[in-house]
Amino acid sequence: MGNTDRPLSPHLQVYKPQLTAVLSIFHRASGVFLVIGSLLLVCWLAALAQGPESYTNVQGLLGSGIGRTLLLAWVFALFYHLCNGMRHLFWDMGLGFDIETVYASGKFVVVVAVALTLITFALAYLMRGGAL
Amino acid sequence: MNMRAPLARVRGHGSAKAGAHHWWAQRLSAIALVPLFLWFVASLVFVATADYATAKEWVSSPYNSALLILLIGALFYHAQLGMQVVFEDYVSTPWLQVASIILVKFLALLLAVVAIVAVLSIALGG
């Protein structure tokens, strides 16, 4: 009892970061970040329900530099969490577990998430008539 | 000294057949959220920069308000399941862990209800 001299498993920081582990913790981090983003959805809907004045205020915040940066981060987090979540669903079916496929699907998820984010923002700006 | 065999000790204390519920609920809400979020982001491209009247008209359409309510329900259900696991993994003080989980569940319900009421009042209030 109380033997404090037992060997410990190596701490996390001694490991070289690997794509698999980094994507895994980023899945969780993006999920938590998206929970914060969900507050924005509630605010946007509540403002819209409240009237033109509140709505204009919220739109003003979203259109600001910080607002746009956050929106970009949230859209990327959403696409990443969505794509990597589907990767998890394939694992749940027992598919894609060999190490080569795990790395390939991981890289694929990152590329697709970045591409979808860029396409979304390009389209959003086009919809505004190109005015930033 | 306990002379009972391991099998005898666990018999009657076994699985309540509910161990996989959290896992299953998380996957089910995840599957629902895939099409809902693809629809939502595609719509956001059109609505995010819209003026008040356009945004209101978009939410008021029965098709959009129904999908929005489904999205809000699935989103906050999935969110509180995920946050629960985060608290279970990283908060080691038992009372704090339980308190955080209760708080996040109540908050998720509150936010979902506020958002759904907002959608309904836009859709039905005129």
Side-chain angles (χ1 to χ4, degrees), chain A residues 25 28 32 35 38-39 41-42 44-49 51-52 55 59 75 78-79 81-82 86 88-89 92 120 123-124 127-128, chain B residues 23 27 31 37 40-41 45-52 55 59 72 75-76 79 83 85-86 89-90 111 114 118-119 121-122:
Chain A
I25 193 62
R28 186 165 270 200
V32 174
V35 171
S38 71
L39 298 175
L41 173 66
V42 178
W44 188 81
L45 287 169
L48 189 62
Y55 181 75
Q59 287 297 83
V75 169
L78 175 67
F79 278 130
H81 199 83
L82 192 115
M86 288 171 78
H88 271 277
L89 290 174
D92 292 337
T120 303
L123 284 177
M127 292 308 295
R128 286 189 88 191
Chain B
W23 183 91
R27 310 300 135 147
I31 294 167
F37 259 112
F40 183 68
V41 175
V45 167
F46 298 94
V47 181
T49 53
D51 58 21
Y52 175 73
V59 175
I72 293 160
L75 164 66
F76 283 104
M83 290 305 293
V85 179
V86 171
D89 284 354
Y90 302 135
L111 290 168
V114 167
V119 171
S121 74
I122 296 162

Tab-separated table of all heavy atoms in Angstrom, chain A residues 25 28 32 35 38-39 41-42 44-49 51-52 55 59 75 78-79 81-82 86 88-89 92 120 123-124 127-128, chain B residues 23 27 31 37 40-41 45-52 55 59 72 75-76 79 83 85-86 89-90 111 114 118-119 121-122:
chain	number	residue	atom	x	y	z
A	25	ILE	N	-6.973	13.850	-30.749
A	25	ILE	CA	-7.226	14.889	-29.742
A	25	ILE	C	-7.865	16.109	-30.397
A	25	ILE	O	-8.671	16.807	-29.792
A	25	ILE	CB	-5.935	15.257	-28.955
A	25	ILE	CG1	-6.276	16.095	-27.707
A	25	ILE	CG2	-4.918	15.997	-29.796
A	25	ILE	CD1	-7.161	15.399	-26.691
A	28	ARG	N	-11.633	15.769	-30.483
A	28	ARG	CA	-12.248	16.150	-29.215
A	28	ARG	C	-12.230	17.668	-29.042
A	28	ARG	O	-13.230	18.264	-28.652
A	28	ARG	CB	-11.482	15.471	-28.079
A	28	ARG	CG	-12.095	15.673	-26.741
A	28	ARG	CD	-11.523	14.710	-25.731
A	28	ARG	NE	-12.302	13.481	-25.694
A	28	ARG	CZ	-12.280	12.642	-24.671
A	28	ARG	NH1	-11.525	12.875	-23.642
A	28	ARG	NH2	-13.015	11.559	-24.695
A	32	VAL	N	-15.439	20.338	-28.625
A	32	VAL	CA	-15.654	21.313	-27.543
A	32	VAL	C	-15.781	22.726	-28.125
A	32	VAL	O	-16.646	23.518	-27.717
A	32	VAL	CB	-14.505	21.241	-26.506
A	32	VAL	CG1	-14.636	22.338	-25.466
A	32	VAL	CG2	-14.477	19.878	-25.835
A	35	VAL	N	-19.144	23.269	-29.523
A	35	VAL	CA	-20.157	23.497	-28.493
A	35	VAL	C	-20.242	25.004	-28.216
A	35	VAL	O	-21.335	25.575	-28.109
A	35	VAL	CB	-19.842	22.713	-27.207
A	35	VAL	CG1	-20.772	23.120	-26.080
A	35	VAL	CG2	-19.971	21.222	-27.455
A	38	SER	N	-22.067	26.642	-30.941
A	38	SER	CA	-23.518	26.435	-30.932
A	38	SER	C	-24.222	27.581	-30.202
A	38	SER	O	-25.383	27.872	-30.479
A	38	SER	CB	-23.858	25.088	-30.303
A	38	SER	OG	-23.614	25.125	-28.921
A	39	LEU	N	-23.493	28.226	-29.261
A	39	LEU	CA	-24.060	29.398	-28.570
A	39	LEU	C	-24.364	30.500	-29.583
A	39	LEU	O	-25.348	31.229	-29.468
A	39	LEU	CB	-23.086	29.935	-27.518
A	39	LEU	CG	-22.732	29.001	-26.374
A	39	LEU	CD1	-21.681	29.642	-25.491
A	39	LEU	CD2	-23.970	28.684	-25.561
A	41	LEU	N	-25.207	30.089	-32.727
A	41	LEU	CA	-26.431	29.729	-33.450
A	41	LEU	C	-27.660	30.146	-32.639
A	41	LEU	O	-28.611	30.729	-33.178
A	41	LEU	CB	-26.449	28.218	-33.722
A	41	LEU	CG	-27.733	27.644	-34.328
A	41	LEU	CD1	-27.958	28.184	-35.728
A	41	LEU	CD2	-27.692	26.118	-34.353
A	42	VAL	N	-27.612	29.889	-31.330
A	42	VAL	CA	-28.733	30.261	-30.457
A	42	VAL	C	-28.898	31.783	-30.450
A	42	VAL	O	-30.014	32.298	-30.582
A	42	VAL	CB	-28.517	29.724	-29.021
A	42	VAL	CG1	-29.652	30.147	-28.107
A	42	VAL	CG2	-28.396	28.211	-29.030
A	44	TRP	N	-27.952	33.935	-32.750
A	44	TRP	CA	-28.398	34.392	-34.066
A	44	TRP	C	-29.901	34.202	-34.205
A	44	TRP	O	-30.620	35.111	-34.630
A	44	TRP	CB	-27.634	33.624	-35.163
A	44	TRP	CG	-27.859	34.139	-36.549
A	44	TRP	CD1	-27.253	35.206	-37.128
A	44	TRP	CD2	-28.768	33.606	-37.521
A	44	TRP	NE1	-27.718	35.373	-38.410
A	44	TRP	CE2	-28.649	34.409	-38.682
A	44	TRP	CE3	-29.667	32.529	-37.536
A	44	TRP	CZ2	-29.392	34.175	-39.838
A	44	TRP	CZ3	-30.400	32.291	-38.679
A	44	TRP	CH2	-30.267	33.113	-39.821
A	45	LEU	N	-30.397	33.027	-33.807
A	45	LEU	CA	-31.832	32.745	-33.907
A	45	LEU	C	-32.632	33.629	-32.943
A	45	LEU	O	-33.690	34.159	-33.301
A	45	LEU	CB	-32.105	31.263	-33.623
A	45	LEU	CG	-31.693	30.293	-34.727
A	45	LEU	CD1	-31.759	28.852	-34.230
A	45	LEU	CD2	-32.581	30.462	-35.956
A	46	ALA	N	-32.123	33.799	-31.733
A	46	ALA	CA	-32.825	34.623	-30.749
A	46	ALA	C	-32.894	36.071	-31.229
A	46	ALA	O	-33.930	36.735	-31.091
A	46	ALA	CB	-32.127	34.534	-29.393
A	47	ALA	N	-31.789	36.560	-31.817
A	47	ALA	CA	-31.766	37.931	-32.321
A	47	ALA	C	-32.747	38.102	-33.474
A	47	ALA	O	-33.462	39.106	-33.563
A	47	ALA	CB	-30.356	38.308	-32.768
A	48	LEU	N	-32.799	37.101	-34.327
A	48	LEU	CA	-33.717	37.141	-35.464
A	48	LEU	C	-35.166	37.146	-34.973
A	48	LEU	O	-36.030	37.836	-35.535
A	48	LEU	CB	-33.457	35.941	-36.380
A	48	LEU	CG	-34.175	35.930	-37.730
A	48	LEU	CD1	-33.748	37.116	-38.588
A	48	LEU	CD2	-33.890	34.630	-38.478
A	49	ALA	N	-35.420	36.406	-33.901
A	49	ALA	CA	-36.781	36.357	-33.342
A	49	ALA	C	-37.126	37.669	-32.654
A	49	ALA	O	-38.294	38.063	-32.589
A	49	ALA	CB	-36.899	35.191	-32.359
A	51	GLY	N	-36.032	40.875	-33.383
A	51	GLY	CA	-36.356	41.999	-34.257
A	51	GLY	C	-35.171	42.502	-35.049
A	51	GLY	O	-34.037	42.063	-34.823
A	52	PRO	N	-35.416	43.443	-35.959
A	52	PRO	CA	-34.367	43.925	-36.874
A	52	PRO	C	-33.156	44.502	-36.153
A	52	PRO	O	-32.011	44.319	-36.590
A	52	PRO	CB	-35.060	45.025	-37.682
A	52	PRO	CG	-36.508	44.847	-37.465
A	52	PRO	CD	-36.699	44.113	-36.181
A	55	TYR	N	-30.975	41.809	-34.650
A	55	TYR	CA	-30.393	41.050	-35.761
A	55	TYR	C	-29.228	41.809	-36.392
A	55	TYR	O	-28.168	41.231	-36.647
A	55	TYR	CB	-31.469	40.742	-36.815
A	55	TYR	CG	-30.934	39.931	-37.971
A	55	TYR	CD1	-30.675	38.575	-37.821
A	55	TYR	CD2	-30.665	40.524	-39.200
A	55	TYR	CE1	-30.172	37.825	-38.869
A	55	TYR	CE2	-30.159	39.777	-40.257
A	55	TYR	CZ	-29.911	38.429	-40.089
A	55	TYR	OH	-29.400	37.696	-41.120
A	59	GLN	N	-25.378	40.556	-36.690
A	59	GLN	CA	-24.743	40.501	-38.006
A	59	GLN	C	-23.497	41.378	-38.040
A	59	GLN	O	-22.505	41.032	-38.678
A	59	GLN	CB	-25.721	40.938	-39.105
A	59	GLN	CG	-26.805	39.924	-39.426
A	59	GLN	CD	-26.261	38.622	-39.975
A	59	GLN	OE1	-25.852	37.757	-39.217
A	59	GLN	NE2	-26.266	38.463	-41.286
A	75	VAL	N	-16.287	26.953	-39.004
A	75	VAL	CA	-16.634	26.174	-40.197
A	75	VAL	C	-15.595	25.070	-40.411
A	75	VAL	O	-15.942	23.924	-40.707
A	75	VAL	CB	-16.769	27.082	-41.437
A	75	VAL	CG1	-16.852	26.253	-42.711
A	75	VAL	CG2	-18.008	27.960	-41.321
A	78	LEU	N	-16.122	22.417	-37.822
A	78	LEU	CA	-17.314	21.646	-38.163
A	78	LEU	C	-17.012	20.610	-39.234
A	78	LEU	O	-17.335	19.431	-39.083
A	78	LEU	CB	-18.426	22.588	-38.636
A	78	LEU	CG	-19.683	21.886	-39.134
A	78	LEU	CD1	-20.386	21.174	-37.992
A	78	LEU	CD2	-20.626	22.860	-39.805
A	79	PHE	N	-16.343	21.041	-40.309
A	79	PHE	CA	-16.041	20.100	-41.389
A	79	PHE	C	-15.066	19.025	-40.914
A	79	PHE	O	-15.186	17.862	-41.283
A	79	PHE	CB	-15.486	20.842	-42.611
A	79	PHE	CG	-16.554	21.448	-43.468
A	79	PHE	CD1	-16.487	22.774	-43.870
A	79	PHE	CD2	-17.644	20.694	-43.881
A	79	PHE	CE1	-17.476	23.334	-44.660
A	79	PHE	CE2	-18.636	21.246	-44.676
A	79	PHE	CZ	-18.551	22.568	-45.058
A	81	HIS	N	-14.692	17.901	-37.787
A	81	HIS	CA	-15.396	17.013	-36.857
A	81	HIS	C	-16.358	16.094	-37.620
A	81	HIS	O	-16.504	14.918	-37.284
A	81	HIS	CB	-16.150	17.850	-35.816
A	81	HIS	CG	-16.525	17.108	-34.574
A	81	HIS	ND1	-15.659	16.927	-33.517
A	81	HIS	CD2	-17.670	16.504	-34.210
A	81	HIS	CE1	-16.262	16.238	-32.560
A	81	HIS	NE2	-17.490	15.960	-32.965
A	82	LEU	N	-16.985	16.657	-38.656
A	82	LEU	CA	-17.922	15.887	-39.482
A	82	LEU	C	-17.198	14.778	-40.252
A	82	LEU	O	-17.593	13.614	-40.219
A	82	LEU	CB	-18.626	16.836	-40.450
A	82	LEU	CG	-19.831	16.291	-41.195
A	82	LEU	CD1	-21.067	17.056	-40.767
A	82	LEU	CD2	-19.676	16.416	-42.679
A	86	MET	N	-17.094	10.711	-39.443
A	86	MET	CA	-17.461	9.649	-40.375
A	86	MET	C	-16.367	8.591	-40.428
A	86	MET	O	-16.652	7.399	-40.573
A	86	MET	CB	-17.739	10.236	-41.761
A	86	MET	CG	-19.046	11.013	-41.761
A	86	MET	SD	-19.330	11.942	-43.246
A	86	MET	CE	-19.861	10.646	-44.323
A	88	HIS	N	-14.660	7.771	-37.852
A	88	HIS	CA	-14.962	6.971	-36.660
A	88	HIS	C	-16.100	5.984	-36.928
A	88	HIS	O	-16.060	4.853	-36.444
A	88	HIS	CB	-15.355	7.887	-35.493
A	88	HIS	CG	-14.185	8.329	-34.681
A	88	HIS	ND1	-13.641	7.568	-33.680
A	88	HIS	CD2	-13.440	9.452	-34.732
A	88	HIS	CE1	-12.614	8.196	-33.150
A	88	HIS	NE2	-12.463	9.357	-33.770
A	89	LEU	N	-17.103	6.415	-37.692
A	89	LEU	CA	-18.234	5.531	-37.980
A	89	LEU	C	-17.783	4.314	-38.805
A	89	LEU	O	-18.281	3.205	-38.599
A	89	LEU	CB	-19.351	6.298	-38.699
A	89	LEU	CG	-20.108	7.324	-37.842
A	89	LEU	CD1	-21.084	8.124	-38.687
A	89	LEU	CD2	-20.842	6.645	-36.695
A	92	ASP	N	-16.221	2.037	-36.452
A	92	ASP	CA	-17.246	1.358	-35.661
A	92	ASP	C	-17.796	0.131	-36.390
A	92	ASP	O	-18.276	-0.809	-35.770
A	92	ASP	CB	-18.399	2.315	-35.336
A	92	ASP	CG	-17.957	3.410	-34.381
A	92	ASP	OD1	-16.973	3.195	-33.658
A	92	ASP	OD2	-18.592	4.475	-34.369
A	120	THR	N	-16.679	26.721	-49.040
A	120	THR	CA	-17.777	27.401	-48.343
A	120	THR	C	-17.542	28.898	-48.307
A	120	THR	O	-18.450	29.693	-48.608
A	120	THR	CB	-17.912	26.849	-46.907
A	120	THR	OG1	-18.109	25.449	-46.983
A	120	THR	CG2	-19.074	27.493	-46.173
A	123	LEU	N	-17.760	30.540	-51.815
A	123	LEU	CA	-19.164	30.668	-52.226
A	123	LEU	C	-19.873	31.784	-51.462
A	123	LEU	O	-20.627	32.568	-52.041
A	123	LEU	CB	-19.910	29.345	-52.020
A	123	LEU	CG	-19.640	28.244	-53.052
A	123	LEU	CD1	-20.394	26.972	-52.674
A	123	LEU	CD2	-20.067	28.702	-54.444
A	124	ALA	N	-19.603	31.861	-50.145
A	124	ALA	CA	-20.252	32.887	-49.334
A	124	ALA	C	-19.879	34.287	-49.835
A	124	ALA	O	-20.719	35.182	-49.915
A	124	ALA	CB	-19.878	32.724	-47.864
A	127	MET	N	-21.611	34.979	-53.114
A	127	MET	CA	-23.021	35.295	-52.901
A	127	MET	C	-23.220	36.758	-52.524
A	127	MET	O	-24.260	37.347	-52.775
A	127	MET	CB	-23.626	34.413	-51.793
A	127	MET	CG	-23.765	32.958	-52.131
A	127	MET	SD	-24.636	32.651	-53.678
A	127	MET	CE	-26.256	33.275	-53.290
A	128	ARG	N	-22.203	37.327	-51.891
A	128	ARG	CA	-22.287	38.739	-51.498
A	128	ARG	C	-21.911	39.665	-52.650
A	128	ARG	O	-21.815	40.863	-52.470
A	128	ARG	CB	-21.339	39.032	-50.329
A	128	ARG	CG	-21.802	38.508	-49.014
A	128	ARG	CD	-20.905	39.047	-47.932
A	128	ARG	NE	-21.389	40.344	-47.441
A	128	ARG	CZ	-20.682	41.126	-46.652
A	128	ARG	NH1	-19.479	40.803	-46.296
A	128	ARG	NH2	-21.187	42.269	-46.218
B	23	TRP	N	-22.839	5.094	-26.058
B	23	TRP	CA	-22.118	4.901	-27.319
B	23	TRP	C	-23.091	4.933	-28.491
B	23	TRP	O	-22.893	5.650	-29.467
B	23	TRP	CB	-21.383	3.544	-27.259
B	23	TRP	CG	-20.546	3.244	-28.448
B	23	TRP	CD1	-19.234	3.543	-28.622
B	23	TRP	CD2	-20.962	2.564	-29.639
B	23	TRP	NE1	-18.808	3.097	-29.847
B	23	TRP	CE2	-19.846	2.496	-30.491
B	23	TRP	CE3	-22.167	2.007	-30.067
B	23	TRP	CZ2	-19.881	1.900	-31.746
B	23	TRP	CZ3	-22.222	1.413	-31.326
B	23	TRP	CH2	-21.082	1.363	-32.144
B	27	ARG	N	-23.517	7.751	-31.603
B	27	ARG	CA	-23.409	7.422	-33.036
B	27	ARG	C	-24.691	7.810	-33.781
B	27	ARG	O	-24.643	8.349	-34.869
B	27	ARG	CB	-23.179	5.914	-33.265
B	27	ARG	CG	-22.075	5.309	-32.441
B	27	ARG	CD	-20.742	5.942	-32.715
B	27	ARG	NE	-20.113	6.172	-31.415
B	27	ARG	CZ	-18.834	6.113	-31.183
B	27	ARG	NH1	-18.004	5.840	-32.165
B	27	ARG	NH2	-18.355	6.349	-29.979
B	31	ILE	N	-24.952	10.347	-36.880
B	31	ILE	CA	-25.457	10.012	-38.214
B	31	ILE	C	-26.522	11.025	-38.639
B	31	ILE	O	-26.535	11.492	-39.779
B	31	ILE	CB	-25.997	8.564	-38.236
B	31	ILE	CG1	-24.853	7.569	-38.023
B	31	ILE	CG2	-26.715	8.264	-39.559
B	31	ILE	CD1	-25.307	6.151	-37.723
B	37	PHE	N	-26.145	18.945	-41.048
B	37	PHE	CA	-25.130	19.990	-41.098
B	37	PHE	C	-24.702	20.318	-42.523
B	37	PHE	O	-24.373	21.461	-42.818
B	37	PHE	CB	-23.921	19.643	-40.212
B	37	PHE	CG	-23.981	20.377	-38.905
B	37	PHE	CD1	-24.183	19.712	-37.711
B	37	PHE	CD2	-23.872	21.764	-38.872
B	37	PHE	CE1	-24.275	20.398	-36.514
B	37	PHE	CE2	-23.953	22.461	-37.673
B	37	PHE	CZ	-24.158	21.767	-36.495
B	40	PHE	N	-27.278	22.614	-43.524
B	40	PHE	CA	-27.166	23.870	-42.794
B	40	PHE	C	-26.037	24.744	-43.341
B	40	PHE	O	-26.222	25.947	-43.558
B	40	PHE	CB	-26.938	23.585	-41.302
B	40	PHE	CG	-26.881	24.813	-40.456
B	40	PHE	CD1	-28.008	25.597	-40.265
B	40	PHE	CD2	-25.696	25.198	-39.843
B	40	PHE	CE1	-27.965	26.741	-39.481
B	40	PHE	CE2	-25.645	26.344	-39.053
B	40	PHE	CZ	-26.773	27.108	-38.885
B	41	VAL	N	-24.873	24.159	-43.590
B	41	VAL	CA	-23.744	24.947	-44.093
B	41	VAL	C	-24.039	25.444	-45.509
B	41	VAL	O	-23.757	26.597	-45.843
B	41	VAL	CB	-22.430	24.145	-44.041
B	41	VAL	CG1	-21.293	24.923	-44.674
B	41	VAL	CG2	-22.068	23.815	-42.606
B	45	VAL	N	-24.337	29.601	-46.542
B	45	VAL	CA	-23.676	30.330	-47.625
B	45	VAL	C	-24.623	31.406	-48.168
B	45	VAL	O	-24.201	32.519	-48.483
B	45	VAL	CB	-23.241	29.338	-48.731
B	45	VAL	CG1	-22.834	30.058	-49.992
B	45	VAL	CG2	-22.105	28.471	-48.225
B	46	PHE	N	-25.922	31.067	-48.221
B	46	PHE	CA	-26.890	32.025	-48.746
B	46	PHE	C	-27.413	32.965	-47.658
B	46	PHE	O	-27.730	34.117	-47.921
B	46	PHE	CB	-28.072	31.282	-49.380
B	46	PHE	CG	-27.667	30.430	-50.537
B	46	PHE	CD1	-27.368	29.089	-50.354
B	46	PHE	CD2	-27.547	30.973	-51.810
B	46	PHE	CE1	-26.969	28.296	-51.415
B	46	PHE	CE2	-27.149	30.189	-52.871
B	46	PHE	CZ	-26.856	28.845	-52.676
B	47	VAL	N	-27.519	32.448	-46.419
B	47	VAL	CA	-28.216	33.197	-45.373
B	47	VAL	C	-27.286	34.021	-44.487
B	47	VAL	O	-27.684	35.050	-43.950
B	47	VAL	CB	-29.058	32.231	-44.499
B	47	VAL	CG1	-29.814	32.981	-43.428
B	47	VAL	CG2	-30.038	31.468	-45.370
B	48	ALA	N	-26.020	33.590	-44.364
B	48	ALA	CA	-25.120	34.216	-43.390
B	48	ALA	C	-25.005	35.720	-43.578
B	48	ALA	O	-24.892	36.462	-42.604
B	48	ALA	CB	-23.743	33.573	-43.459
B	49	THR	N	-25.042	36.171	-44.821
B	49	THR	CA	-24.857	37.604	-45.052
B	49	THR	C	-26.176	38.296	-45.416
B	49	THR	O	-26.178	39.446	-45.846
B	49	THR	CB	-23.829	37.824	-46.176
B	49	THR	OG1	-24.254	37.071	-47.313
B	49	THR	CG2	-22.448	37.373	-45.751
B	50	ALA	N	-27.295	37.589	-45.227
B	50	ALA	CA	-28.590	38.137	-45.638
B	50	ALA	C	-29.070	39.243	-44.694
B	50	ALA	O	-28.659	39.306	-43.539
B	50	ALA	CB	-29.622	37.023	-45.681
B	51	ASP	N	-29.942	40.127	-45.224
B	51	ASP	CA	-30.540	41.138	-44.355
B	51	ASP	C	-31.662	40.503	-43.522
B	51	ASP	O	-31.996	39.328	-43.694
B	51	ASP	CB	-31.055	42.331	-45.186
B	51	ASP	CG	-32.077	41.903	-46.230
B	51	ASP	OD1	-32.677	40.825	-46.092
B	51	ASP	OD2	-32.254	42.660	-47.210
B	52	TYR	N	-32.226	41.291	-42.625
B	52	TYR	CA	-33.223	40.796	-41.670
B	52	TYR	C	-34.385	40.098	-42.362
B	52	TYR	O	-34.763	38.973	-41.993
B	52	TYR	CB	-33.713	41.971	-40.820
B	52	TYR	CG	-34.831	41.615	-39.874
B	52	TYR	CD1	-34.572	40.848	-38.740
B	52	TYR	CD2	-36.124	42.056	-40.098
B	52	TYR	CE1	-35.584	40.509	-37.860
B	52	TYR	CE2	-37.148	41.730	-39.226
B	52	TYR	CZ	-36.874	40.961	-38.109
B	52	TYR	OH	-37.880	40.633	-37.249
B	55	ALA	N	-33.398	36.723	-44.024
B	55	ALA	CA	-33.109	35.704	-43.018
B	55	ALA	C	-34.401	35.203	-42.383
B	55	ALA	O	-34.594	34.005	-42.176
B	55	ALA	CB	-32.179	36.274	-41.951
B	59	VAL	N	-35.939	31.327	-42.399
B	59	VAL	CA	-36.288	30.522	-41.219
B	59	VAL	C	-37.778	30.180	-41.234
B	59	VAL	O	-38.184	29.094	-40.812
B	59	VAL	CB	-35.905	31.268	-39.914
B	59	VAL	CG1	-36.366	30.501	-38.679
B	59	VAL	CG2	-34.396	31.483	-39.841
B	72	ILE	N	-31.203	21.499	-34.216
B	72	ILE	CA	-30.982	21.980	-32.849
B	72	ILE	C	-31.108	20.823	-31.853
B	72	ILE	O	-30.253	20.654	-30.971
B	72	ILE	CB	-31.992	23.105	-32.507
B	72	ILE	CG1	-31.697	24.348	-33.355
B	72	ILE	CG2	-31.932	23.453	-31.027
B	72	ILE	CD1	-32.882	25.303	-33.457
B	75	LEU	N	-28.172	18.392	-32.389
B	75	LEU	CA	-26.918	19.067	-32.050
B	75	LEU	C	-26.695	19.110	-30.533
B	75	LEU	O	-25.641	18.702	-30.042
B	75	LEU	CB	-26.914	20.482	-32.631
B	75	LEU	CG	-25.891	21.477	-32.083
B	75	LEU	CD1	-24.487	21.048	-32.433
B	75	LEU	CD2	-26.149	22.867	-32.636
B	76	PHE	N	-27.692	19.584	-29.786
B	76	PHE	CA	-27.475	19.723	-28.343
B	76	PHE	C	-27.486	18.377	-27.630
B	76	PHE	O	-26.824	18.201	-26.601
B	76	PHE	CB	-28.476	20.717	-27.735
B	76	PHE	CG	-28.089	22.139	-28.042
B	76	PHE	CD1	-28.754	22.878	-28.998
B	76	PHE	CD2	-27.010	22.715	-27.395
B	76	PHE	CE1	-28.364	24.177	-29.297
B	76	PHE	CE2	-26.602	24.008	-27.688
B	76	PHE	CZ	-27.294	24.738	-28.637
B	79	ALA	N	-24.024	17.174	-28.358
B	79	ALA	CA	-23.051	18.019	-27.647
B	79	ALA	C	-22.946	17.608	-26.173
B	79	ALA	O	-21.834	17.466	-25.646
B	79	ALA	CB	-23.451	19.488	-27.759
B	83	MET	N	-19.658	16.262	-24.277
B	83	MET	CA	-19.094	16.993	-23.133
B	83	MET	C	-19.048	16.102	-21.889
B	83	MET	O	-18.138	16.209	-21.072
B	83	MET	CB	-19.909	18.256	-22.857
B	83	MET	CG	-19.778	19.337	-23.910
B	83	MET	SD	-18.076	19.835	-24.221
B	83	MET	CE	-17.667	20.618	-22.669
B	85	VAL	N	-18.395	12.928	-21.783
B	85	VAL	CA	-17.189	12.092	-21.862
B	85	VAL	C	-15.944	12.914	-21.539
B	85	VAL	O	-15.032	12.445	-20.850
B	85	VAL	CB	-17.067	11.448	-23.265
B	85	VAL	CG1	-15.807	10.610	-23.358
B	85	VAL	CG2	-18.283	10.598	-23.555
B	86	VAL	N	-15.922	14.170	-22.014
B	86	VAL	CA	-14.782	15.041	-21.727
B	86	VAL	C	-14.649	15.247	-20.212
B	86	VAL	O	-13.556	15.121	-19.648
B	86	VAL	CB	-14.935	16.390	-22.468
B	86	VAL	CG1	-13.885	17.387	-22.005
B	86	VAL	CG2	-14.815	16.185	-23.976
B	89	ASP	N	-13.435	12.130	-18.449
B	89	ASP	CA	-12.023	11.837	-18.670
B	89	ASP	C	-11.083	12.801	-17.944
B	89	ASP	O	-10.008	12.396	-17.509
B	89	ASP	CB	-11.697	11.898	-20.173
B	89	ASP	CG	-12.207	10.667	-20.911
B	89	ASP	OD1	-12.694	9.747	-20.230
B	89	ASP	OD2	-12.117	10.637	-22.145
B	90	TYR	N	-11.458	14.076	-17.853
B	90	TYR	CA	-10.486	15.067	-17.383
B	90	TYR	C	-10.775	15.657	-16.004
B	90	TYR	O	-9.891	16.283	-15.422
B	90	TYR	CB	-10.362	16.216	-18.400
B	90	TYR	CG	-9.952	15.751	-19.781
B	90	TYR	CD1	-10.587	16.225	-20.916
B	90	TYR	CD2	-8.921	14.834	-19.942
B	90	TYR	CE1	-10.228	15.799	-22.184
B	90	TYR	CE2	-8.550	14.398	-21.205
B	90	TYR	CZ	-9.200	14.878	-22.317
B	90	TYR	OH	-8.845	14.459	-23.556
B	111	LEU	N	-30.485	25.694	-23.834
B	111	LEU	CA	-30.135	26.311	-25.114
B	111	LEU	C	-30.982	25.750	-26.248
B	111	LEU	O	-31.438	26.501	-27.123
B	111	LEU	CB	-28.648	26.100	-25.414
B	111	LEU	CG	-27.689	26.892	-24.527
B	111	LEU	CD1	-26.262	26.389	-24.697
B	111	LEU	CD2	-27.768	28.381	-24.848
B	114	VAL	N	-34.453	27.334	-25.951
B	114	VAL	CA	-34.414	28.743	-26.374
B	114	VAL	C	-34.352	28.835	-27.901
B	114	VAL	O	-35.099	29.597	-28.529
B	114	VAL	CB	-33.210	29.475	-25.731
B	114	VAL	CG1	-32.976	30.830	-26.390
B	114	VAL	CG2	-33.427	29.644	-24.238
B	118	ALA	N	-37.235	30.210	-30.438
B	118	ALA	CA	-36.927	31.303	-31.374
B	118	ALA	C	-37.362	30.935	-32.782
B	118	ALA	O	-38.017	31.741	-33.471
B	118	ALA	CB	-35.434	31.619	-31.331
B	119	VAL	N	-37.037	29.724	-33.224
B	119	VAL	CA	-37.436	29.280	-34.569
B	119	VAL	C	-38.951	29.302	-34.702
B	119	VAL	O	-39.497	29.820	-35.690
B	119	VAL	CB	-36.888	27.858	-34.867
B	119	VAL	CG1	-37.486	27.315	-36.167
B	119	VAL	CG2	-35.378	27.877	-34.964
B	121	SER	N	-41.172	31.011	-32.970
B	121	SER	CA	-41.761	32.350	-32.943
B	121	SER	C	-41.514	33.081	-34.261
B	121	SER	O	-42.361	33.857	-34.705
B	121	SER	CB	-41.260	33.153	-31.739
B	121	SER	OG	-39.946	33.560	-31.962
B	122	ILE	N	-40.376	32.800	-34.909
B	122	ILE	CA	-40.140	33.391	-36.232
B	122	ILE	C	-41.099	32.768	-37.254
B	122	ILE	O	-41.716	33.470	-38.060
B	122	ILE	CB	-38.671	33.176	-36.689
B	122	ILE	CG1	-37.710	33.913	-35.762
B	122	ILE	CG2	-38.475	33.648	-38.127
B	122	ILE	CD1	-36.281	33.429	-35.852
